[in-house]
Amino acid sequence: MILMNISILLIIVEMVIPISAWDNGLLRTPPMGWLSWLRFTCEINCEQYPNSCINEKLYKDMIDRIAEDGYLQVGYKTVNIDDCWMEKKRDPKTKQLVADRKRFPYGIKHLVEYGRERNVSVGIYEDIGTKTCAGFPGIDNHEQIDAKTFSEWGVDSIKMDGCFALINEYNQTYPNFRKALEKQEHRIAYSCSWPAYIANNSVPDDVYEVIKENCNYWRNYDDIVDSWESVKKIILFYGSKNKQFKKFHGPGGWFDPDMLLIGNNGLSLEQSKTQMNFWSIWSAPLMMSADLRRITPEFKKILQNKELISINQDRDGRMASLIYKTDKIQIWTKKLAASAEGEPSSYVVLYFYMYSLGIDLNIRFNVSKLIPREEIQDEYLVFDLHDADTVMKIISSEENLELRVPSSGGSRIVKLVPVLKNENLFETNEDTLDNFCDY
Amino acid sequence: MILMNISILLIIVEMVIPISAWDNGLLRTPPMGWLSWLRFTCEINCEQYPNSCINEKLYKDMIDRIAEDGYLQVGYKTVNIDDCWMEKKRDPKTKQLVADRKRFPYGIKHLVEYGRERNVSVGIYEDIGTKTCAGFPGIDNHEQIDAKTFSEWGVDSIKMDGCFALINEYNQTYPNFRKALEKQEHRIAYSCSWPAYIANNSVPDDVYEVIKENCNYWRNYDDIVDSWESVKKIILFYGSKNKQFKKFHGPGGWFDPDMLLIGNNGLSLEQSKTQMNFWSIWSAPLMMSADLRRITPEFKKILQNKELISINQDRDGRMASLIYKTDKIQIWTKKLAASAEGEPSSYVVLYFYMYSLGIDLNIRFNVSKLIPREEIQDEYLVFDLHDADTVMKIISSEENLELRVPSSGGSRIVKLVPVLKNENLFETNEDTLDNFCDY
């Protein structure tokens, strides 16, 4: 069956249920930056791998690339250290964590200053248990010292992992560190791996409520690895939990489906677009993890897609809604913040096709099935978000939105912008409609 | 562990056990061409998909692309029709198969002639049972008529599928069609899907002996789909059966791991190189299945890599040997035909790294572990087969061959060419050594 049986399509009205986030004022939009784990993991042999071991040079190189290669301008602004940055033991006198003396000879504060001079902030990694996942010192009851250390160093975010700790104590240990952070002068965004360690990734609402009260974002699924299978599993998982996640996701508190693989070896170009499309409509943290010194232009273009980033950074920060699914196809929509009080909202529509055989698929849905009845407008401008300089077409609420979607994990993403009544398109939108006659 | 424990590495001496192939004189080197299934499957709705349905235009377009875009020059010479080309019923009088009258208005013979004018041959598809897999007419006891029809049409190869047939009768039905082919004037290469339908892909030697006596090549595993997972499964399967397959694989009779995905949506660039590398060292049929009208240059370059194709088409046609494996790494070697009787052979070495996390891996093995002791020469020129214009280096049999291998399904492939004693490299190999000083 090529065309969808749209009669079984479900429209889920966007319900905003306010659930309070930790009110540290940070991350009112999802964080954007770079995190070393996926690509560089825990390689500490700098003799054999001088350009890709975990050391000061690596993070400085990434700060440079972010500052100089256009990433900063589109919103990526934090370079995040992951595991394996420390000495194997705390300072015996002060009990402070110490950066590896060979690999970070000038310490983390120096790295933070290097970043600040380039308008790039630095994030750091620690673990809520006795050891980090790779065996370096964990918090181990040093919340106060560590929060103070991080604050003094000036890091802007902390990823708190959950290895070597009792999961049933997370509801004390993670909040304890949040309280320690609150005592510091410097405000630090707090990423909690807490729900990622809960069995079967099945986290009840009351636990997510506590997580949201304590954390700015939270990993809640298996570590991503550099393969399409891994991305697909995350998409299916986020689809299966969509109703729950929508309730908790929003400014100040974000579900984190893990790093962007884009620019590494595991995804094809279409699959890379698909990951960026999903992370954007989910308003998920955009954490790159490619070697930005060697990335090729087609992947850089995806990561720097301003249209997608503006969807991701939409001020309402809604998690998109899964409105239709089969084994091969999913349709998601995201309501964007209205341009002004009382104005109708634009919607983003994503068609996703995961079947790994055959030709690209023409998928079509009636616009009236994509946008809730209470909100639908008579006409929309349709923008392809990977080629948004021109309007694809004008579509009425009675028409079908038909898009050709690449197979094997491809997707298409468009924005539907309401045409205001009495608006004369060809006078008011001259720029965007330059090429409209070509269609 | 980054470096291999080479002490457990096994050298398998190349044993050539002659097993007779069907002696129709065809396919003394593996077939090279294009097959429609992976990309175009059984789309027969030409109104909705005018450029990608199974019809005359599709195959003519591919003949044109092969003839005009450089594929023919490097060895791709057959455009193979797959399922869904027929009318739903045989001709009621002649009992001949009939091409779909709407989609192939001038019939198959016309298509064959179109190909011949461009030096491209045409292959066709049929099924040994009562119906093809998609439900079109199967052989169903029409061996003689069908072999005669195909011969009259002038097709140069036939892919014989195994749906809707009794598997325990394959050892009669497949040979029966071979006998029918032998009676025809026009010689037709015979591809048998026979072993692909045998439970668990576990085929005893005596069955492969019969298959080899009857068929020119044979699919023996699940259909490939457009994903890295699928390629990886095939690589692991071919590794697990390597000793058996080497016994039967060779001129006139080839194991067929199925189509090349390269140029579609499912593989990254490095994974695409890996598929081409493996299919080349296996001397496997090289059947493209991308839309050659829309393929991008980087994938076309992989498909047209002359060095890899010459490895694939090596006149001895050996299946490569898996000489080392872990969960993350495999090392394969392939002995090439000697340039002259008594001369030492060149070897191709493939390092494969399938771990989906972290940085590219430096893999190193001592040359003495890669080439059998009886054959090893003092020195080798090393050529990177994806950049073979220059010699990478000269390496002695005592040295390590160290290559940096991309993660997530990446691989590196080099050719080791013996340096003949008393050979003055810098005089006799001036062309290939132009840039040697740069290393």
Side-chain angles (χ1 to χ4, degrees), chain A residues 379-398:
Chain A
E379 281 189 327
Y380 290 89
L381 303 179
V382 183
F383 293 87
D384 181 336
L385 296 182
H386 285 276
D387 180 20
D389 290 342
T390 55
V391 178
M392 272 178 78
K393 60 156 97 179
I394 297 178
I395 196 167
S396 87
S397 60
E398 307 294 317

Side-chain angles (χ1 to χ4, degrees), chain A residues 167-403:
Chain A
I167 293 169
N168 60 13
E169 292 180 357
Y170 280 176
N171 59 357
Q172 294 155 39
T173 51
Y174 273 102
N176 281 348
F177 192 75
R178 190 261 303 161
K179 290 171 199 160
L181 285 177
E182 281 182 328
K183 293 182 192 162
Q184 309 309 319
E185 282 198 14
H186 185 62
R187 290 190 307 167
I188 299 177
Y190 187 29
S191 161
C192 307
S193 299
W194 180 347
Y197 287 88
I198 292 176
N200 304 316
N201 307 111
S202 183
V203 180
D205 278 7
D206 58 343
V207 176
Y208 271 132
E209 277 173 30
V210 183
I211 291 171
K212 178 148 185 173
E213 285 163 8
N214 285 279
C215 307
N216 291 115
Y217 57 114
W218 47 87
R219 285 276 318 286
N220 68 330
Y221 194 60
D222 304 342
D223 282 7
I224 200 166
V225 298
D226 186 23
S227 74
W228 169 245
E229 281 305 298
S230 180
V231 174
K232 186 173 154 187
K233 275 173 62 184
I234 291 169
I235 292 170
L236 295 179
F237 174 69
Y238 268 63
S240 72
K241 303 282 188 183
N242 183 240
K243 283 184 188 174
Q244 184 187 35
F245 292 0
K246 284 196 291 185
K247 289 191 291 187
F248 297 97
H249 192 77
W254 310 98
F255 284 85
D256 179 5
D258 214 354
M259 292 160 277
L260 296 169
L261 307 180
I262 299 158
N264 290 302
N265 298 321
L267 299 188
S268 72
L269 193 66
E270 291 299 338
Q271 292 164 349
S272 298
K273 287 183 188 171
T274 293
Q275 193 189 17
M276 191 71 186
N277 292 345
F278 269 103
W279 267 237
S280 296
I281 60 165
W282 288 342
S283 282
L286 296 180
M287 288 294 160
M288 307 181 286
S289 191
D291 187 341
L292 301 179
R293 299 165 299 196
R294 305 197 307 167
I295 196 166
T296 51
E298 64 272 30
F299 294 106
K300 186 175 165 189
K301 183 181 171 192
I302 296 170
L303 290 168
Q304 296 191 356
N305 183 317
K306 287 181 192 171
E307 295 294 329
L308 291 177
I309 290 171
S310 81
I311 300 305
N312 174 272
Q313 297 284 306
D314 179 77
R315 72 167 188 280
D316 283 356
R318 286 185 186 83
M319 169 72 69
S321 298
L322 173 61
I323 64 164
Y324 177 87
K325 66 172 177 173
T326 69
D327 285 350
K328 296 178 184 174
I329 290 168
Q330 291 190 349
I331 312 295
W332 293 69
T333 61
K334 179 191 181 82
K335 180 182 177 178
L336 298 178
S339 55
E341 181 78 24
E343 292 293 327
S345 283
S346 296
Y347 270 78
V348 178
V349 177
L350 175 73
Y351 288 176
F352 171 49
Y353 182 40
M354 56 193 127
Y355 193 51
S356 295
L357 197 63
I359 58 174
D360 305 343
L361 189 71
N362 287 346
I363 298 180
R364 70 177 185 214
F365 277 83
N366 198 279
V367 173
S368 66
K369 304 292 183 188
L370 296 169
I371 297 179
R373 185 189 305 257
E374 311 77 49
E375 307 207 11
I376 200 161
Q377 304 297 306
D378 291 343
E379 281 189 327
Y380 290 89
L381 303 179
V382 183
F383 293 87
D384 181 336
L385 296 182
H386 285 276
D387 180 20
D389 290 342
T390 55
V391 178
M392 272 178 78
K393 60 156 97 179
I394 297 178
I395 196 167
S396 87
S397 60
E398 307 294 317
E399 284 181 281
N400 288 322
L401 175 67
E402 178 165 346
L403 299 169

Side-chain angles (χ1 to χ4, degrees), chain B residues 264-291:
Chain B
N264 290 302
N265 298 321
L267 299 188
S268 72
L269 193 66
E270 291 299 338
Q271 292 164 349
S272 297
K273 287 182 188 171
T274 292
Q275 193 189 18
M276 192 72 185
N277 292 346
F278 269 103
W279 267 237
S280 296
I281 59 165
W282 288 342
S283 282
L286 296 179
M287 287 294 159
M288 307 181 287
S289 190
D291 187 342

